[in-house]
């Protein structure tokens, strides 16, 4: 029988208050910078309730902000991360000042652009990312090469396996030709790493622009 404890893990409470990510909160705790009810703690294996007083470096933790969700146009050549070991620009370099601490819902590749949802609530982020949520992600894609024929589009809609990785149904329509390029609209529910680029490469198309235009009910303006 599993024993339950009231409240929430302290790292989660710190993250919800916008003071640090859960991982950074654990580092603060390990460094002895977090106190509960005046006593310094050294382990994140601690639950706290609304009646407990939490402080970081002696400063009381602020009350959690209300959950907020933002639509953001992620630029091309930009990392969906807080920091990059290679020193490349991140989404946080492109965000305007004055926003709360925000977390990305899912990711877009370095060289992909378009709609990225951002939230200040870790629980909302996890809910929107769950496979069970199964929200449709829709993309405009430009690829170099011949457009896929009806048989290739049917293969994508039935699901395709590449190098042992199974990709689910991808609805694909051909929008127009532009010189040696073709524009497609593609809709999928899973969004595995580099999924669109890999499946189109298998069909002989080299993706040179990828724009996410919708994530579930949310669309670009």
């Amino acid at each position: 029988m599993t024993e339950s404890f009231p409240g929430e893990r302290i790292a989660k409470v710190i993250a919800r208050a916008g003071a640090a990510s859960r991982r950074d909160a654990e580092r603060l705790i390990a460094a002895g910078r977090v106190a509960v009810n005046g006593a310094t703690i050294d382990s994140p294996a601690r639950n706290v309730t609304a009646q407990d007083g939490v402080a970081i470096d002696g400063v009381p933790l602020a009350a959690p902000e209300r959950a907020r969700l933002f639509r953001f146009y992620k630029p091309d050549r930009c990392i969906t991360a807080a920091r990059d070991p290679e020193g490349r620009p991140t989404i946080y370099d492109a965000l305007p000042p004055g926003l709360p601490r925000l977390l990305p819902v899912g990711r877009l590749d370095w060289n992909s652009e378009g709609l990225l949802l951002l939230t200040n609530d870790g629980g909302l982020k996890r809910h929107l990312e769950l496979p069970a949520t199964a929200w449709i992600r829709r993309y405009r894609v430009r690829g170099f090469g011949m457009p896929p024929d009806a048989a290739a589009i049917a293969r994508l809609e039935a699901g395709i396996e590449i190098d042992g990785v199974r990709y689910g149904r991808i609805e694909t329509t051909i929008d127009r030709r532009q010189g040696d390029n073709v524009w497609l609209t593609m809709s999928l529910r899973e969004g595995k790493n580099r999924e669109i680029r890999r499946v189109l490469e298998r069909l002989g198309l080299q993706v040179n622009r990828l724009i996410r235009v919708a994530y579930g009910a949310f669309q670009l303006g």
Side-chain angles (χ1 to χ4, degrees), residues 67-70 101-105 117-122 124-126 128:
R68 302 173 70 185
L69 189 67
F70 296 81
R101 174 181 164 272
L102 295 174
L103 306 167
V105 177
L117 299 180
L118 302 170
T119 180
N120 65 334
D121 189 287
L124 178 58
K125 165 185 164 69
R126 287 187 293 276
L128 295 178

Side-chain angles (χ1 to χ4, degrees), residues 142-166:
R142 188 179 67 193
F144 177 80
M146 293 295 295
D149 58 20
I153 290 176
R155 286 174 60 201
L156 293 181
E157 293 188 350
I160 188 172
E161 184 172 315
I162 300 174
D163 298 330
V165 178
R166 181 71 183 177

Side-chain angles (χ1 to χ4, degrees), residues 14-217:
I14 291 173
R16 287 186 58 215
S21 68
R22 293 178 70 169
R23 184 170 296 179
D24 286 341
E26 291 173 357
R27 294 191 183 103
L28 291 173
I29 292 168
R33 297 172 58 186
V34 178
V36 177
N37 300 327
T40 300
I41 63 172
D42 58 9
S43 170
R46 168 72 181 267
N47 280 27
V48 293
T49 68
Q51 286 69 47
D52 291 310
V54 179
I56 301 174
D57 295 330
V59 179
L61 196 65
E65 294 186 356
R66 63 184 176 88
R68 302 173 70 185
L69 189 67
F70 296 81
R71 291 182 303 171
F72 171 61
Y73 193 110
K74 176 199 170 293
D76 184 20
R77 311 288 168 177
C78 180
I79 294 291
T80 307
R83 292 176 291 274
D84 179 54
E86 300 178 26
R88 293 172 295 181
T90 76
I91 57 172
Y92 297 98
D93 297 321
L95 289 173
L99 292 173
R101 174 181 164 272
L102 295 174
L103 306 167
V105 177
R107 307 179 71 83
L108 282 173
D109 294 335
W110 151 258
N111 53 348
S112 299
E113 60 189 285
L115 178 64
L116 182 66
L117 299 180
L118 302 170
T119 180
N120 65 334
D121 189 287
L124 178 58
K125 165 185 164 69
R126 287 187 293 276
H127 173 73
L128 295 178
E129 291 175 340
L130 283 173
T133 305
W135 274 8
I136 293 177
R137 287 87 154 157
R138 189 164 67 252
Y139 300 82
R140 292 291 314 287
V141 187
R142 188 179 67 193
F144 177 80
M146 293 295 295
D149 58 20
I153 290 176
R155 286 174 60 201
L156 293 181
E157 293 188 350
I160 188 172
E161 184 172 315
I162 300 174
D163 298 330
V165 178
R166 181 71 183 177
Y167 298 101
R169 175 184 175 89
I170 303 177
E171 297 180 5
T172 305
T173 57
I174 300 173
D175 297 329
R176 62 188 172 94
R177 289 295 301 270
Q178 185 183 46
D180 293 328
N181 293 289
V182 58
W183 278 97
L184 309 170
T185 296
M186 305 182 73
S187 302
L188 53 101
R189 292 184 183 274
E190 291 180 298
K192 292 177 180 174
N193 184 37
R194 302 183 65 82
E195 179 169 350
I196 288 177
R197 297 179 191 277
R198 287 174 173 163
V199 299
L200 288 183
E201 183 178 5
R202 175 56 61 92
L203 300 183
L205 275 175
Q206 186 68 41
V207 173
N208 50 38
R209 193 170 184 192
L210 194 153
I211 309 166
R212 183 156 65 194
V213 296
Y215 190 105

